[in-house]
Amino acid sequence: MEWNFKNGIPIYTQIVDELTMRIASGQYSPGDKLESVRDLAMDAGVNPNTMQRALAELERRGLVFSERTSGRFVTKDENTLKELHEELAGKYFEELTDKLRKIGMSGEEIASAVKKWLEGIR
């Protein structure tokens, strides 16, 4: 899988964001075993300590869990995954509405535009 890191943002947070997106999108299914820290680090071209830090953060957030001697796995908790989708949707809606408000659109205009756009992609 391709990793594209941006300057000015800590790499471990970019790894957390990328793996979160892979989990949310279903690229990693609930219960999937993740690659080892070393394999993920080699794939991403980062230090294993950086990858370990990112995975520890994902574990803290409840998106992955460890099983002794077996490795790390994507959560199977449907509520956690639903909350993840809602959190990401909120983040993206906030970014979208901020940009649309900057070009002068009201809340009603934004809602109408989103509705028209969604109707057009059916």
Side-chain angles (χ1 to χ4, degrees), residues 62-111:
L63 297 177
V64 301
F65 64 94
S66 295
E67 286 188 1
R68 263 190 174 180
T69 70
S70 297
R72 283 194 174 89
F73 298 83
V74 175
T75 185
K76 297 176 189 174
D77 185 348
E78 291 179 20
N79 288 329
T80 298
L81 295 171
K82 182 179 179 187
E83 289 172 8
L84 175 61
H85 284 133
E86 290 171 358
E87 177 187 325
L88 290 173
K91 175 184 166 186
Y92 297 136
F93 277 124
E94 184 175 344
E95 289 173 7
L96 173 67
T97 56
D98 284 349
K99 288 179 182 180
L100 294 176
R101 286 189 188 279
K102 284 180 182 173
I103 64 168
M105 292 180 75
S106 69
E108 285 181 14
E109 290 171 319
I110 293 169

Side-chain angles (χ1 to χ4, degrees), residues 17 25 68 78 90 118 122:
D17 291 346
S25 70
R68 263 190 174 180
E78 291 179 20
L118 287 172
R122 288 185 188 181

Side-chain angles (χ1 to χ4, degrees), residues 6 14 22 41 56 71 83-84 89 94 112:
K6 298 177 183 114
Q14 293 182 65
R22 291 178 186 186
E83 289 172 8
L84 175 61
E94 184 175 344
S112 176

